[in-house]
Amino acid sequence: MSQTLSRALKILRFVASEPRRIGEIATFLGVHHSTALRLLHTLRDQGFVFELPDHRYRIGATVIRVGFQALEAIDLRSVARPFMVTLNEATQETIHLGTLEGDEVTYIDKVEAKHGVRMYSRIGAVAPLHSSGIAKSILAFLPGDERSRLLDGRDLTARTRHSITSIDALEEELAVARERGYAVDAEENEPGIHCIGAPIFNGTGHVEGSVSISAPMSRIKRDLLIGFAPALLDATTAVSKQLGWEP
Amino acid sequence: MSQTLSRALKILRFVASEPRRIGEIATFLGVHHSTALRLLHTLRDQGFVFELPDHRYRIGATVIRVGFQALEAIDLRSVARPFMVTLNEATQETIHLGTLEGDEVTYIDKVEAKHGVRMYSRIGAVAPLHSSGIAKSILAFLPGDERSRLLDGRDLTARTRHSITSIDALEEELAVARERGYAVDAEENEPGIHCIGAPIFNGTGHVEGSVSISAPMSRIKRDLLIGFAPALLDATTAVSKQLGWEP
DNA sequence: CATTTGTAGTGCGTAAGATGCACAGTCACG
DNA sequence: CGTGACTGTGCATCTTACGCACTACAAATG
């Protein structure tokens, strides 16, 4: 492992949320300011950070570009996009696309609701495996051994008072999801927000990602949300077929 | 400058376009494969690259997340401001920044001309969609369906005797603007005032806003105004790149 | 099946490169 | 003007990143 590189990567994450000064970054890393300065200058010279006129540093254009480039290289995203837009128009709610990357489910696309209440989500962010509809719908359809490996020893944090916090209860919930063909997040991830998610399969029948419909309970009751399930399944089935899946 | 960090950043740019193997990356960097391996493992452990099952590496979720996080924190105004100031100094004319908000283009920043004649504009004011250079340069580069939706049924008020008042004529004008890369307002919005405007794009290639140069015809003839177009395009390209856009 | 090939991964010694220090330069403020 | 805060530079030193040699593994081949 490279200590120098680790430090630089920590800088990138630190300046992502807001521009930072050299001294602040040096303190954050626990290094001398001249060390922080050299790392920042290297990052700046390759466009990974941008130095503002007041000597604060923010994320640079290269990170943004590299991130977009990588997103565009994800085939699932371009295949799913039109179906997500259709689903968004049919429901007027926020549609997410997620994919399993390593041990985490990551949001890789989103079509926003037409209404004012915004979902707490961000492209690139990790969706909690045990409490979000988008992640549960992937988890439910993974091969059993892979799912067990992911869940083994995992701490199921209670994100809300509705969250599932035991492996046994989660496995039961996932079995129900498999029967239904989609997973439900009943305020398990975020208070006042519920969600349904369904899996996308590829040509080998392996789960490749999932699409979800999220809505505030204040606007969409559970019955109405569940009423969107056929449309959701139509969309995910259509995407799956594009990926070579056969029912 | 940090050589180790430089190498790692080059890796990120190299794997952005497509997943790569360790050997390929080592060759690209001109280092031993164990050096490339160590850098990749550090990048992987912080989520900056993701190792595929076949040992190829692609960009990881952390880059995407950091990029989007930063993009949300980036204020178009603050990114564009320095370039607008430069353009104002080069032209001595009024520079505007506009952005599409809902169905209207709004002025969100301005750098005033050095001369006495002031432009009729105010930050926060709506720029007429069909007659101002700043709005037309956004309209021209919107996706076709979005532009059609905006124009559908819209009453094209004649603000001056030069104003375009039919949808067909406007669509033709916008097609020309797309060919050129910038839009022209030839006294369509205000008598005696002309203007050129060019779009700003974000990392998805979507138009995010526009910058315009406005001047009184009494001071700047049309030829001279058009002569500023390369400088305008330089400015908008620079802003676009900051937002992750790639030509 | 055994062998070969290609590649990822490991541990070591050492020298190259990263580090902190001391100082200089710049800017803003009283 | 002096002072303090901060960015930036050059140097000696020491720590860490490097390439090497080897191992382990998977896939291809005969």
Side-chain angles (χ1 to χ4, degrees):
Chain A
M1 297 308 109
S2 162
Q3 181 176 241
T4 298
L5 175 55
S6 276
R7 284 178 173 152
L9 298 179
K10 284 188 172 91
I11 289 175
L12 288 177
R13 288 166 31 224
F14 191 49
V15 306
S17 54
E18 72 174 286
R20 307 281 186 175
R21 312 285 301 263
I22 289 165
E24 200 178 354
I25 291 162
T27 301
F28 172 71
L29 289 182
V31 299
H32 193 263
H33 82 261
S34 63
T35 299
L37 182 76
R38 271 188 297 260
L39 293 177
L40 280 163
H41 282 185
T42 306
L43 288 165
R44 182 198 60 194
D45 291 350
Q46 292 207 33
F48 280 77
V49 293
F50 180 74
E51 185 179 0
L52 298 167
D54 63 358
H55 289 296
R56 287 180 309 142
Y57 291 82
R58 66 161 167 79
I59 288 291
T62 304
V63 178
I64 295 165
R65 187 166 63 243
V66 163
F68 275 112
Q69 214 175 356
L71 269 182
E72 278 162 20
I74 299 175
D75 287 339
L76 177 57
R77 204 161 169 270
S78 53
V79 172
R81 183 79 190 184
F83 301 103
M84 289 167 68
V85 170
T86 302
L87 195 54
N88 169 261
E89 283 164 0
T91 63
Q92 305 292 313
E93 297 304 334
T94 300
I95 311 299
H96 289 108
L97 176 66
T99 190
L100 183 65
E101 178 174 300
D103 290 352
E104 310 290 348
V105 169
T106 305
Y107 292 106
I108 60 169
D109 207 359
K110 174 167 72 166
V111 186
E112 293 273 10
K114 300 294 169 64
H115 311 276
V117 182
R118 307 197 66 189
M119 297 295 106
Y120 176 70
S121 63
R122 179 184 287 135
I123 291 176
V126 173
L129 216 38
H130 67 292
S131 58
S132 65
I134 200 158
K136 286 199 298 184
S137 56
I138 289 176
L139 204 48
F141 293 90
L142 284 175
D145 58 334
E146 208 172 328
R147 186 172 55 252
S148 298
R149 185 187 58 77
L150 279 186
L151 292 180
D152 209 22
R154 187 174 282 241
D155 184 32
L156 306 191
T157 309
R159 298 180 60 92
T160 73
R161 64 189 183 92
H162 300 275
S163 304
I164 293 166
T165 54
S166 83
I167 301 281
D168 286 348
L170 182 59
E171 287 277 21
E172 269 185 45
E173 170 68 18
L174 297 179
V176 173
R178 277 195 294 278
E179 280 295 308
R180 270 190 309 222
Y182 62 92
V184 179
D185 156 15
E187 288 190 274
E188 290 150 50
N189 199 42
E190 201 179 343
I193 302 291
H194 56 174
C195 164
I196 53 173
I200 292 163
F201 300 104
N202 65 19
T204 65
H206 206 78
V207 65
E208 187 83 26
S210 64
V211 173
S212 72
I213 305 171
S214 304
M217 289 182 63
S218 55
R219 195 164 65 217
I220 302 281
K221 298 304 177 199
R222 183 68 45 74
D223 283 351
L224 186 51
L225 184 69
I226 302 296
F228 291 144
L232 174 64
L233 288 164
D234 284 349
T236 55
T237 299
V239 177
S240 298
K241 281 176 177 173
Q242 291 279 335
L243 299 186
W245 181 68
E246 270 196 359
Chain B
M1 297 305 110
S2 164
Q3 180 175 242
T4 299
L5 176 53
S6 276
R7 283 178 174 156
L9 299 179
K10 285 187 171 87
I11 290 175
L12 287 177
R13 285 158 44 216
F14 190 50
V15 305
S17 54
E18 73 175 284
R20 308 280 188 175
R21 314 283 305 262
I22 288 166
E24 200 178 353
I25 291 163
T27 301
F28 172 70
L29 290 183
V31 299
H32 193 262
H33 81 265
S34 62
T35 299
L37 183 76
R38 270 190 298 266
L39 293 175
L40 280 162
H41 282 184
T42 306
L43 288 164
R44 182 197 61 194
D45 291 349
Q46 290 206 34
F48 280 77
V49 295
F50 177 67
E51 185 179 359
L52 297 166
D54 64 358
H55 288 294
R56 287 181 307 142
Y57 291 83
R58 65 162 169 81
I59 290 291
T62 304
V63 178
I64 295 165
R65 183 166 63 242
V66 161
F68 272 92
Q69 208 176 356
L71 206 45
E72 282 172 14
I74 290 178
D75 175 21
L76 178 59
R77 260 169 116 248
S78 57
V79 173
R81 184 79 191 182
F83 302 103
M84 288 166 69
V85 170
T86 301
L87 195 52
N88 169 263
E89 283 164 0
T91 64
Q92 306 293 312
E93 298 303 334
T94 301
I95 311 299
H96 290 109
L97 176 67
T99 189
L100 184 64
E101 292 179 347
D103 289 353
E104 309 291 348
V105 169
T106 307
Y107 292 106
I108 61 170
D109 205 2
K110 175 167 68 167
V111 186
E112 292 275 10
K114 300 293 168 71
H115 310 278
V117 181
R118 307 197 64 192
M119 297 298 105
Y120 175 71
S121 64
R122 180 186 300 126
I123 292 177
V126 171
L129 217 38
H130 66 292
S131 57
S132 66
I134 201 158
K136 285 199 298 185
S137 57
I138 289 175
L139 205 49
F141 292 90
L142 284 176
D145 57 336
E146 210 172 325
R147 186 172 57 252
S148 298
R149 187 184 59 76
L150 279 186
L151 291 181
D152 208 21
R154 186 173 284 241
D155 183 33
L156 305 191
T157 311
R159 299 181 58 93
T160 74
R161 65 191 180 91
H162 301 277
S163 304
I164 293 165
T165 55
S166 84
I167 301 281
D168 286 349
L170 182 58
E171 286 279 20
E172 268 184 47
E173 170 68 19
L174 297 178
V176 172
R178 278 195 295 279
E179 281 294 309
R180 271 192 308 227
Y182 61 92
V184 179
D185 155 16
E187 290 189 273
E188 291 149 50
N189 199 43
E190 201 177 343
I193 303 293
H194 55 175
C195 162
I196 53 176
I200 292 164
F201 299 106
N202 67 19
T204 65
H206 207 78
V207 64
E208 191 81 29
S210 63
V211 172
S212 71
I213 306 171
S214 304
M217 289 183 62
S218 56
R219 192 164 65 218
I220 302 280
K221 298 305 178 198
R222 182 67 46 76
D223 283 352
L224 187 49
L225 183 67
I226 301 297
F228 292 144
L232 174 65
L233 288 164
D234 283 350
T236 56
T237 299
V239 177
S240 297
K241 281 177 177 171
Q242 290 284 329
L243 300 186
W245 182 69
E246 248 189 20

